[in-house]
Amino acid sequence: MRLLTGGVFHVSTVIEDDLKDRLTGLHKPHVSSLADLASCVLACRNANTAEWMAILPRKTGDEKSKERFISRFLSNPLIHPISVMTGFIPEIVEMMSENGETIILMLDQSKISDGFECLMVSLRLAERAIPVAWKVVETQGSIGFDIQKKLLDQVQKMMPENVTILLSADRFYGTSSMIYWCQKTGWQYRIRLKSNLIIEHETGEITTGQAAALNLNSLEKKHVFIKQR
């Protein structure tokens, strides 16, 4: 049962009303639950579930009951983050690009805990980043392009037509497969390349490390094929 008073609850009701007007794929009980948890995140400004429990606008009994409520929601297989974000991201992108601005998406991987990594696509907004889509994978190393592609395909479907997209990524993503995907999709890209990649051109070969040492920052009227030595 929900509490009907307090600042956190009032924030939750505003979020809930907004969620009801969006195509998020959420069932009705999930809408109020997400609104309550989102209001806790905004109030605490962190992802510490212990702090959420202290202000959760729910009459769920003891602390263990609140903990179970949060855990069940976060692990609910019926809630699809991509579907939920699709209810928000297209509108945000349209607002950001209404004057022809380039939309900058960032691809990055972060460690969640021992043995788990999170691949995330974020939307750059001034000096901040808005999460767009993410995938947590049980792995000890880098997440491969097969999973990167699936996540980027889902993000690409969110993007409105006639919007210029630039994908920014670190050197771990500078593969020929990633570059080909960007070219095929029509996205611009700014990806840091590893220094041991080889650029083939009409007059021979040069590594990306050598190109950087020569301050070679652009190639004109060239077909570039990148392979790893």
Side-chain angles (χ1 to χ4, degrees), residues 46-72:
N46 61 46
N48 188 330
T49 56
E51 292 190 28
W52 299 359
M53 289 162 52
I55 61 174
L56 184 67
R58 294 248 167 183
K59 294 180 179 179
T60 55
D62 57 17
E63 295 300 305
K64 282 293 183 182
S65 296
K66 293 182 179 181
E67 183 179 357
R68 286 194 295 269
F69 168 80
I70 295 173
S71 179
R72 283 198 303 268

Side-chain angles (χ1 to χ4, degrees), residues 32-180:
S32 60
S33 297
L34 177 58
D36 286 349
L37 292 183
S39 64
C40 291
V41 174
L42 291 173
C44 296
R45 297 187 179 184
N46 61 46
N48 188 330
T49 56
E51 292 190 28
W52 299 359
M53 289 162 52
I55 61 174
L56 184 67
R58 294 248 167 183
K59 294 180 179 179
T60 55
D62 57 17
E63 295 300 305
K64 282 293 183 182
S65 296
K66 293 182 179 181
E67 183 179 357
R68 286 194 295 269
F69 168 80
I70 295 173
S71 179
R72 283 198 303 268
F73 181 85
L74 295 179
S75 62
N76 192 330
L78 298 178
I79 299 173
H80 303 285
I82 297 293
S83 298
V84 175
M85 297 306 293
T86 301
F88 293 89
I89 296 301
E91 179 183 351
I92 294 173
V93 170
E94 286 185 352
M95 292 172 61
M96 292 176 60
S97 63
E98 60 184 0
N99 294 320
E101 293 88 347
T102 296
I103 298 300
I104 299 177
L105 296 176
M106 298 175 290
L107 180 65
D108 195 16
Q109 178 179 327
S110 302
K111 182 178 179 180
I112 298 298
S113 61
D114 290 341
F116 289 90
E117 298 280 334
C118 179
L119 182 67
M120 178 174 290
V121 178
S122 303
L123 173 63
R124 181 176 174 179
L125 179 60
E127 299 300 319
R128 297 186 178 275
I130 299 175
V132 175
W134 54 92
K135 177 70 175 179
V136 176
V137 179
E138 186 174 1
T139 181
Q140 295 289 345
S142 300
I143 297 174
F145 178 73
D146 55 337
I147 297 177
Q148 296 172 19
K149 181 180 182 302
K150 290 179 181 178
L151 191 66
L152 288 170
D153 285 342
Q154 292 172 323
V155 173
Q156 194 273 333
K157 292 178 182 177
M158 294 186 195
M159 297 297 108
E161 295 183 1
N162 302 319
V163 172
T164 302
I165 306 292
L166 185 147
L167 179 66
S168 176
D170 208 340
R171 62 184 181 276
F172 299 108
Y173 308 99
T175 63
S176 57
S177 297
M178 177 65 75
I179 292 173
Y180 175 73

Side-chain angles (χ1 to χ4, degrees), residues 1-13 36 39 54-59:
M1 183 182 299
R2 302 176 78 185
L3 293 174
L4 302 180
T5 58
V8 175
F9 170 73
H10 290 303
V11 174
S12 178
T13 57
D36 286 349
S39 64
I55 61 174
L56 184 67
R58 294 248 167 183
K59 294 180 179 179

